[in-house]
Amino acid sequence: MSHNFAALVSEVNQDVLRWRRHIHANPELSFQEAKTADYIAEQLSAMAGVTLKRLTPNSVIAELTGDKNGPIYALRADIDALPIQEETDEEWRSTNPGVMHACGHDAHAAMLLGAVKVLSQCRSSLKGTVRFIFQHAEEAPPGGAQELVKLGVLDGVDMIFGLHVLPNYPTGQIALKEGVFSGSSDNFDILLKGRGGHGSMPHMCIDPVTIGAEMVTAMQQIVARKLDPLHAPVLTVAVFQAGEVYNVIPDTARLAGTLRTHSAEVRARVPLLVEQTVKGIAYAHGAEVEVKWTKGYAIGNNHPEACAIARRVIKQERGAEAFIEVTSAIYGSEDFSSYQEKIPGCFVFIGSGNESKGATHGVHHPRFKLDEDALAIGVQLHVGFIRQLLMAE
């Protein structure tokens, strides 16, 4: 049976807009997305042939199996929001103070819902199974993807695809980077213990502020002088907390920050160099130091086979002029990498920037807006991946 997929995608557009706006107006933080997951499950339950699983209370796994046996392919959308106070004037702006869908996960969920609705109407043509993953907690390590993988969400799955809206590209453009496309993300905490005292008598103290400042500078030398510049990571000290009074040298200081890298070898080596550096400085000044690392997301790696499929679908569905082959990886992290550690997968960026609609601010900004014309493109690509894999003659 042949299907008019363009018409089917067009027919679900109003539903996709409604779903996206509802989710945007009712954002929930990572690991707290129970109402969002319930809403998604409610929409899915009305779609023919779709079965549901709730591996966690704040995620939804849907499955659609065709009349013919075949492989299993997965499509993933994240559904959590960020701890940001929204500053837009949208009618559907957040009703939850201090929480906002500032990274487009509301759009991702709505686009995947649209794809489920389209594909459910074409179930008889499927030569296998589609698993739709509405994933919680992309924004907060250890991440929802890792949790779902441990619970078996990829069991039997051959390949996975994900989409992310990005205002860096105008609506209509679609970007893809083969191989490493995003960085790992590990965080560190350094507790420095000195000896406090009166600010007028620093010689009687072991000042954790000046020692900490020395550590911040020395840690940058790790990147500049101890690692191959062709594989240099980003090592950022983002927190420096010490003292509260003008004339009192505190007992302790806290440094904290993040490491981003595209190399597994560098990822393993930098924590050792950080510990060596800060312990050496602390020892030289008679201070004590404790270093704690929290491992975050893995390096994102788009597999060649999955990329080849994605390229073909993008050019077929949107035209060769819409496609951008990206040559440089970003240092931002994405827990889609947890799936890619297990099976081949491809993560694609959909342009959603539009100056005339005010969609110019980047993700994680309180005035982030989405050009909603990008929603139909996301649905079209999700459906296109499955047409290519499970419906091709």
PDB file of all heavy atoms in Angstrom, residues 143-174:
ATOM      1  N   GLY A 143      21.999  11.342  33.885  1.00  0.00           N
ATOM      2  CA  GLY A 143      21.189  11.356  32.674  1.00  0.00           C
ATOM      3  C   GLY A 143      20.194  10.227  32.561  1.00  0.00           C
ATOM      4  O   GLY A 143      20.417   9.114  33.037  1.00  0.00           O
ATOM      5  N   GLY A 144      19.081  10.542  31.900  1.00  0.00           N
ATOM      6  CA  GLY A 144      18.036   9.549  31.725  1.00  0.00           C
ATOM      7  C   GLY A 144      18.385   8.463  30.741  1.00  0.00           C
ATOM      8  O   GLY A 144      17.933   7.327  30.872  1.00  0.00           O
ATOM      9  N   ALA A 145      19.209   8.788  29.733  1.00  0.00           N
ATOM     10  CA  ALA A 145      19.561   7.778  28.730  1.00  0.00           C
ATOM     11  C   ALA A 145      20.296   6.617  29.372  1.00  0.00           C
ATOM     12  O   ALA A 145      19.999   5.443  29.097  1.00  0.00           O
ATOM     13  CB  ALA A 145      20.426   8.408  27.633  1.00  0.00           C
ATOM     14  N   GLN A 146      21.251   6.925  30.215  1.00  0.00           N
ATOM     15  CA  GLN A 146      22.021   5.881  30.891  1.00  0.00           C
ATOM     16  C   GLN A 146      21.105   4.982  31.721  1.00  0.00           C
ATOM     17  O   GLN A 146      21.259   3.757  31.730  1.00  0.00           O
ATOM     18  CB  GLN A 146      23.077   6.538  31.787  1.00  0.00           C
ATOM     19  CG  GLN A 146      24.028   5.571  32.442  1.00  0.00           C
ATOM     20  CD  GLN A 146      25.063   6.290  33.294  1.00  0.00           C
ATOM     21  OE1 GLN A 146      25.098   6.126  34.511  1.00  0.00           O
ATOM     22  NE2 GLN A 146      25.887   7.113  32.658  1.00  0.00           N
ATOM     23  N   GLU A 147      20.145   5.601  32.392  1.00  0.00           N
ATOM     24  CA  GLU A 147      19.205   4.829  33.206  1.00  0.00           C
ATOM     25  C   GLU A 147      18.354   3.904  32.337  1.00  0.00           C
ATOM     26  O   GLU A 147      18.162   2.725  32.651  1.00  0.00           O
ATOM     27  CB  GLU A 147      18.313   5.775  34.010  1.00  0.00           C
ATOM     28  CG  GLU A 147      17.355   5.057  34.954  1.00  0.00           C
ATOM     29  CD  GLU A 147      16.535   6.019  35.795  1.00  0.00           C
ATOM     30  OE1 GLU A 147      16.517   7.234  35.499  1.00  0.00           O
ATOM     31  OE2 GLU A 147      15.914   5.542  36.758  1.00  0.00           O
ATOM     32  N   LEU A 148      17.846   4.415  31.221  1.00  0.00           N
ATOM     33  CA  LEU A 148      17.003   3.604  30.345  1.00  0.00           C
ATOM     34  C   LEU A 148      17.789   2.478  29.688  1.00  0.00           C
ATOM     35  O   LEU A 148      17.269   1.370  29.504  1.00  0.00           O
ATOM     36  CB  LEU A 148      16.343   4.482  29.284  1.00  0.00           C
ATOM     37  CG  LEU A 148      15.294   5.479  29.790  1.00  0.00           C
ATOM     38  CD1 LEU A 148      14.734   6.294  28.627  1.00  0.00           C
ATOM     39  CD2 LEU A 148      14.161   4.767  30.522  1.00  0.00           C
ATOM     40  N   VAL A 149      19.051   2.757  29.339  1.00  0.00           N
ATOM     41  CA  VAL A 149      19.890   1.697  28.756  1.00  0.00           C
ATOM     42  C   VAL A 149      20.043   0.552  29.749  1.00  0.00           C
ATOM     43  O   VAL A 149      19.936  -0.631  29.391  1.00  0.00           O
ATOM     44  CB  VAL A 149      21.260   2.266  28.337  1.00  0.00           C
ATOM     45  CG1 VAL A 149      22.230   1.133  28.010  1.00  0.00           C
ATOM     46  CG2 VAL A 149      21.109   3.179  27.121  1.00  0.00           C
ATOM     47  N   LYS A 150      20.282   0.881  31.014  1.00  0.00           N
ATOM     48  CA  LYS A 150      20.419  -0.149  32.043  1.00  0.00           C
ATOM     49  C   LYS A 150      19.132  -0.950  32.218  1.00  0.00           C
ATOM     50  O   LYS A 150      19.162  -2.134  32.576  1.00  0.00           O
ATOM     51  CB  LYS A 150      20.824   0.483  33.373  1.00  0.00           C
ATOM     52  CG  LYS A 150      22.246   1.007  33.397  1.00  0.00           C
ATOM     53  CD  LYS A 150      22.573   1.670  34.726  1.00  0.00           C
ATOM     54  CE  LYS A 150      23.995   2.200  34.749  1.00  0.00           C
ATOM     55  NZ  LYS A 150      24.304   2.930  36.014  1.00  0.00           N
ATOM     56  N   LEU A 151      18.000  -0.312  31.943  1.00  0.00           N
ATOM     57  CA  LEU A 151      16.699  -0.975  32.078  1.00  0.00           C
ATOM     58  C   LEU A 151      16.288  -1.725  30.812  1.00  0.00           C
ATOM     59  O   LEU A 151      15.197  -2.279  30.753  1.00  0.00           O
ATOM     60  CB  LEU A 151      15.629   0.054  32.452  1.00  0.00           C
ATOM     61  CG  LEU A 151      15.763   0.666  33.857  1.00  0.00           C
ATOM     62  CD1 LEU A 151      14.792   1.836  34.035  1.00  0.00           C
ATOM     63  CD2 LEU A 151      15.533  -0.385  34.931  1.00  0.00           C
ATOM     64  N   GLY A 152      17.157  -1.723  29.788  1.00  0.00           N
ATOM     65  CA  GLY A 152      16.918  -2.547  28.604  1.00  0.00           C
ATOM     66  C   GLY A 152      16.220  -1.877  27.456  1.00  0.00           C
ATOM     67  O   GLY A 152      15.717  -2.556  26.555  1.00  0.00           O
ATOM     68  N   VAL A 153      16.220  -0.536  27.401  1.00  0.00           N
ATOM     69  CA  VAL A 153      15.475   0.143  26.343  1.00  0.00           C
ATOM     70  C   VAL A 153      16.030  -0.155  24.951  1.00  0.00           C
ATOM     71  O   VAL A 153      15.304  -0.071  23.948  1.00  0.00           O
ATOM     72  CB  VAL A 153      15.439   1.659  26.600  1.00  0.00           C
ATOM     73  CG1 VAL A 153      16.787   2.310  26.278  1.00  0.00           C
ATOM     74  CG2 VAL A 153      14.329   2.336  25.803  1.00  0.00           C
ATOM     75  N   LEU A 154      17.307  -0.543  24.863  1.00  0.00           N
ATOM     76  CA  LEU A 154      17.899  -0.835  23.554  1.00  0.00           C
ATOM     77  C   LEU A 154      17.912  -2.327  23.221  1.00  0.00           C
ATOM     78  O   LEU A 154      18.458  -2.711  22.186  1.00  0.00           O
ATOM     79  CB  LEU A 154      19.339  -0.308  23.497  1.00  0.00           C
ATOM     80  CG  LEU A 154      19.519   1.212  23.559  1.00  0.00           C
ATOM     81  CD1 LEU A 154      20.995   1.571  23.457  1.00  0.00           C
ATOM     82  CD2 LEU A 154      18.716   1.915  22.466  1.00  0.00           C
ATOM     83  N   ASP A 155      17.323  -3.148  24.052  1.00  0.00           N
ATOM     84  CA  ASP A 155      17.316  -4.593  23.788  1.00  0.00           C
ATOM     85  C   ASP A 155      16.728  -4.876  22.412  1.00  0.00           C
ATOM     86  O   ASP A 155      15.584  -4.500  22.113  1.00  0.00           O
ATOM     87  CB  ASP A 155      16.494  -5.330  24.856  1.00  0.00           C
ATOM     88  CG  ASP A 155      17.199  -5.354  26.208  1.00  0.00           C
ATOM     89  OD1 ASP A 155      18.347  -4.886  26.288  1.00  0.00           O
ATOM     90  OD2 ASP A 155      16.587  -5.845  27.180  1.00  0.00           O
ATOM     91  N   GLY A 156      17.513  -5.502  21.564  1.00  0.00           N
ATOM     92  CA  GLY A 156      17.048  -5.873  20.231  1.00  0.00           C
ATOM     93  C   GLY A 156      17.095  -4.766  19.204  1.00  0.00           C
ATOM     94  O   GLY A 156      16.803  -5.000  18.023  1.00  0.00           O
ATOM     95  N   VAL A 157      17.477  -3.551  19.596  1.00  0.00           N
ATOM     96  CA  VAL A 157      17.471  -2.414  18.673  1.00  0.00           C
ATOM     97  C   VAL A 157      18.747  -2.418  17.817  1.00  0.00           C
ATOM     98  O   VAL A 157      19.844  -2.596  18.330  1.00  0.00           O
ATOM     99  CB  VAL A 157      17.355  -1.075  19.433  1.00  0.00           C
ATOM    100  CG1 VAL A 157      17.426   0.107  18.466  1.00  0.00           C
ATOM    101  CG2 VAL A 157      16.057  -1.035  20.237  1.00  0.00           C
ATOM    102  N   ASP A 158      18.586  -2.211  16.521  1.00  0.00           N
ATOM    103  CA  ASP A 158      19.714  -2.212  15.589  1.00  0.00           C
ATOM    104  C   ASP A 158      20.376  -0.856  15.437  1.00  0.00           C
ATOM    105  O   ASP A 158      21.595  -0.764  15.215  1.00  0.00           O
ATOM    106  CB  ASP A 158      19.249  -2.681  14.210  1.00  0.00           C
ATOM    107  CG  ASP A 158      18.887  -4.157  14.202  1.00  0.00           C
ATOM    108  OD1 ASP A 158      17.778  -4.503  14.655  1.00  0.00           O
ATOM    109  OD2 ASP A 158      19.716  -4.957  13.762  1.00  0.00           O
ATOM    110  N   MET A 159      19.596   0.218  15.524  1.00  0.00           N
ATOM    111  CA  MET A 159      20.122   1.557  15.265  1.00  0.00           C
ATOM    112  C   MET A 159      19.179   2.578  15.868  1.00  0.00           C
ATOM    113  O   MET A 159      17.985   2.319  16.021  1.00  0.00           O
ATOM    114  CB  MET A 159      20.266   1.773  13.755  1.00  0.00           C
ATOM    115  CG  MET A 159      21.033   3.014  13.335  1.00  0.00           C
ATOM    116  SD  MET A 159      21.224   3.088  11.518  1.00  0.00           S
ATOM    117  CE  MET A 159      22.403   1.754  11.247  1.00  0.00           C
ATOM    118  N   ILE A 160      19.721   3.772  16.206  1.00  0.00           N
ATOM    119  CA  ILE A 160      18.894   4.808  16.833  1.00  0.00           C
ATOM    120  C   ILE A 160      19.192   6.165  16.203  1.00  0.00           C
ATOM    121  O   ILE A 160      20.328   6.438  15.791  1.00  0.00           O
ATOM    122  CB  ILE A 160      19.133   4.845  18.350  1.00  0.00           C
ATOM    123  CG1 ILE A 160      18.159   5.800  19.052  1.00  0.00           C
ATOM    124  CG2 ILE A 160      20.589   5.206  18.681  1.00  0.00           C
ATOM    125  CD1 ILE A 160      18.154   5.661  20.565  1.00  0.00           C
ATOM    126  N   PHE A 161      18.153   7.018  16.143  1.00  0.00           N
ATOM    127  CA  PHE A 161      18.284   8.363  15.589  1.00  0.00           C
ATOM    128  C   PHE A 161      17.690   9.374  16.571  1.00  0.00           C
ATOM    129  O   PHE A 161      16.706   9.090  17.248  1.00  0.00           O
ATOM    130  CB  PHE A 161      17.564   8.484  14.244  1.00  0.00           C
ATOM    131  CG  PHE A 161      18.189   7.663  13.157  1.00  0.00           C
ATOM    132  CD1 PHE A 161      17.837   6.325  12.992  1.00  0.00           C
ATOM    133  CD2 PHE A 161      19.139   8.215  12.309  1.00  0.00           C
ATOM    134  CE1 PHE A 161      18.425   5.552  12.001  1.00  0.00           C
ATOM    135  CE2 PHE A 161      19.733   7.445  11.312  1.00  0.00           C
ATOM    136  CZ  PHE A 161      19.383   6.111  11.156  1.00  0.00           C
ATOM    137  N   GLY A 162      18.298  10.549  16.624  1.00  0.00           N
ATOM    138  CA  GLY A 162      17.786  11.634  17.454  1.00  0.00           C
ATOM    139  C   GLY A 162      17.904  12.957  16.732  1.00  0.00           C
ATOM    140  O   GLY A 162      18.768  13.130  15.862  1.00  0.00           O
ATOM    141  N   LEU A 163      17.043  13.907  17.099  1.00  0.00           N
ATOM    142  CA  LEU A 163      17.033  15.238  16.500  1.00  0.00           C
ATOM    143  C   LEU A 163      17.116  16.297  17.592  1.00  0.00           C
ATOM    144  O   LEU A 163      16.622  16.093  18.703  1.00  0.00           O
ATOM    145  CB  LEU A 163      15.743  15.465  15.704  1.00  0.00           C
ATOM    146  CG  LEU A 163      15.391  14.487  14.586  1.00  0.00           C
ATOM    147  CD1 LEU A 163      14.030  14.852  13.995  1.00  0.00           C
ATOM    148  CD2 LEU A 163      16.457  14.507  13.500  1.00  0.00           C
ATOM    149  N   HIS A 164      17.724  17.435  17.266  1.00  0.00           N
ATOM    150  CA  HIS A 164      17.786  18.553  18.209  1.00  0.00           C
ATOM    151  C   HIS A 164      17.619  19.854  17.442  1.00  0.00           C
ATOM    152  O   HIS A 164      18.345  20.119  16.481  1.00  0.00           O
ATOM    153  CB  HIS A 164      19.124  18.560  18.933  1.00  0.00           C
ATOM    154  CG  HIS A 164      19.123  19.347  20.213  1.00  0.00           C
ATOM    155  ND1 HIS A 164      18.783  20.685  20.276  1.00  0.00           N
ATOM    156  CD2 HIS A 164      19.403  18.971  21.491  1.00  0.00           C
ATOM    157  CE1 HIS A 164      18.871  21.103  21.533  1.00  0.00           C
ATOM    158  NE2 HIS A 164      19.244  20.083  22.292  1.00  0.00           N
ATOM    159  N   VAL A 165      16.648  20.677  17.860  1.00  0.00           N
ATOM    160  CA  VAL A 165      16.491  21.994  17.242  1.00  0.00           C
ATOM    161  C   VAL A 165      17.649  22.884  17.683  1.00  0.00           C
ATOM    162  O   VAL A 165      18.163  22.763  18.796  1.00  0.00           O
ATOM    163  CB  VAL A 165      15.147  22.641  17.622  1.00  0.00           C
ATOM    164  CG1 VAL A 165      13.985  21.853  17.043  1.00  0.00           C
ATOM    165  CG2 VAL A 165      14.994  22.780  19.131  1.00  0.00           C
ATOM    166  N   LEU A 166      18.067  23.782  16.787  1.00  0.00           N
ATOM    167  CA  LEU A 166      19.209  24.648  17.096  1.00  0.00           C
ATOM    168  C   LEU A 166      19.051  25.974  16.346  1.00  0.00           C
ATOM    169  O   LEU A 166      19.028  25.993  15.111  1.00  0.00           O
ATOM    170  CB  LEU A 166      20.516  23.964  16.684  1.00  0.00           C
ATOM    171  CG  LEU A 166      21.786  24.390  17.418  1.00  0.00           C
ATOM    172  CD1 LEU A 166      21.686  24.088  18.905  1.00  0.00           C
ATOM    173  CD2 LEU A 166      23.000  23.680  16.828  1.00  0.00           C
ATOM    174  N   PRO A 167      18.936  27.092  17.089  1.00  0.00           N
ATOM    175  CA  PRO A 167      18.749  28.388  16.424  1.00  0.00           C
ATOM    176  C   PRO A 167      20.015  28.915  15.757  1.00  0.00           C
ATOM    177  O   PRO A 167      19.956  29.937  15.063  1.00  0.00           O
ATOM    178  CB  PRO A 167      18.315  29.301  17.580  1.00  0.00           C
ATOM    179  CG  PRO A 167      18.892  28.665  18.806  1.00  0.00           C
ATOM    180  CD  PRO A 167      18.864  27.189  18.552  1.00  0.00           C
ATOM    181  N   ASN A 168      21.148  28.241  15.951  1.00  0.00           N
ATOM    182  CA  ASN A 168      22.391  28.637  15.260  1.00  0.00           C
ATOM    183  C   ASN A 168      22.236  28.530  13.750  1.00  0.00           C
ATOM    184  O   ASN A 168      22.954  29.190  12.996  1.00  0.00           O
ATOM    185  CB  ASN A 168      23.546  27.735  15.693  1.00  0.00           C
ATOM    186  CG  ASN A 168      23.721  27.677  17.198  1.00  0.00           C
ATOM    187  OD1 ASN A 168      22.762  27.456  17.922  1.00  0.00           O
ATOM    188  ND2 ASN A 168      24.929  27.862  17.680  1.00  0.00           N
ATOM    189  N   TYR A 169      21.325  27.664  13.307  1.00  0.00           N
ATOM    190  CA  TYR A 169      21.043  27.490  11.883  1.00  0.00           C
ATOM    191  C   TYR A 169      19.637  28.001  11.600  1.00  0.00           C
ATOM    192  O   TYR A 169      18.720  27.804  12.406  1.00  0.00           O
ATOM    193  CB  TYR A 169      21.132  26.019  11.481  1.00  0.00           C
ATOM    194  CG  TYR A 169      22.471  25.383  11.748  1.00  0.00           C
ATOM    195  CD1 TYR A 169      22.643  24.504  12.824  1.00  0.00           C
ATOM    196  CD2 TYR A 169      23.571  25.634  10.940  1.00  0.00           C
ATOM    197  CE1 TYR A 169      23.866  23.909  13.080  1.00  0.00           C
ATOM    198  CE2 TYR A 169      24.799  25.039  11.181  1.00  0.00           C
ATOM    199  CZ  TYR A 169      24.944  24.180  12.261  1.00  0.00           C
ATOM    200  OH  TYR A 169      26.157  23.597  12.506  1.00  0.00           O
ATOM    201  N   PRO A 170      19.425  28.643  10.444  1.00  0.00           N
ATOM    202  CA  PRO A 170      18.069  29.088  10.111  1.00  0.00           C
ATOM    203  C   PRO A 170      17.146  27.908   9.833  1.00  0.00           C
ATOM    204  O   PRO A 170      17.593  26.836   9.422  1.00  0.00           O
ATOM    205  CB  PRO A 170      18.286  29.938   8.853  1.00  0.00           C
ATOM    206  CG  PRO A 170      19.567  29.454   8.268  1.00  0.00           C
ATOM    207  CD  PRO A 170      20.415  29.006   9.414  1.00  0.00           C
ATOM    208  N   THR A 171      15.881  28.123  10.072  1.00  0.00           N
ATOM    209  CA  THR A 171      14.882  27.092   9.801  1.00  0.00           C
ATOM    210  C   THR A 171      14.972  26.655   8.340  1.00  0.00           C
ATOM    211  O   THR A 171      15.041  27.491   7.434  1.00  0.00           O
ATOM    212  CB  THR A 171      13.470  27.622  10.094  1.00  0.00           C
ATOM    213  OG1 THR A 171      13.419  28.039  11.457  1.00  0.00           O
ATOM    214  CG2 THR A 171      12.418  26.555   9.843  1.00  0.00           C
ATOM    215  N   GLY A 172      14.981  25.355   8.136  1.00  0.00           N
ATOM    216  CA  GLY A 172      15.112  24.798   6.792  1.00  0.00           C
ATOM    217  C   GLY A 172      16.450  24.151   6.566  1.00  0.00           C
ATOM    218  O   GLY A 172      16.593  23.303   5.689  1.00  0.00           O
ATOM    219  N   GLN A 173      17.453  24.538   7.347  1.00  0.00           N
ATOM    220  CA  GLN A 173      18.766  23.909   7.239  1.00  0.00           C
ATOM    221  C   GLN A 173      18.901  22.788   8.268  1.00  0.00           C
ATOM    222  O   GLN A 173      18.381  22.878   9.385  1.00  0.00           O
ATOM    223  CB  GLN A 173      19.885  24.932   7.440  1.00  0.00           C
ATOM    224  CG  GLN A 173      19.998  25.939   6.317  1.00  0.00           C
ATOM    225  CD  GLN A 173      21.287  26.748   6.384  1.00  0.00           C
ATOM    226  OE1 GLN A 173      21.842  26.975   7.441  1.00  0.00           O
ATOM    227  NE2 GLN A 173      21.773  27.187   5.222  1.00  0.00           N
ATOM    228  N   ILE A 174      19.609  21.742   7.875  1.00  0.00           N
ATOM    229  CA  ILE A 174      19.780  20.562   8.723  1.00  0.00           C
ATOM    230  C   ILE A 174      21.258  20.196   8.729  1.00  0.00           C
ATOM    231  O   ILE A 174      21.876  20.062   7.673  1.00  0.00           O
ATOM    232  CB  ILE A 174      18.926  19.382   8.208  1.00  0.00           C
ATOM    233  CG1 ILE A 174      17.447  19.802   8.170  1.00  0.00           C
ATOM    234  CG2 ILE A 174      19.109  18.151   9.093  1.00  0.00           C
ATOM    235  CD1 ILE A 174      16.629  19.036   7.171  1.00  0.00           C
TER     236      ILE A 174
END
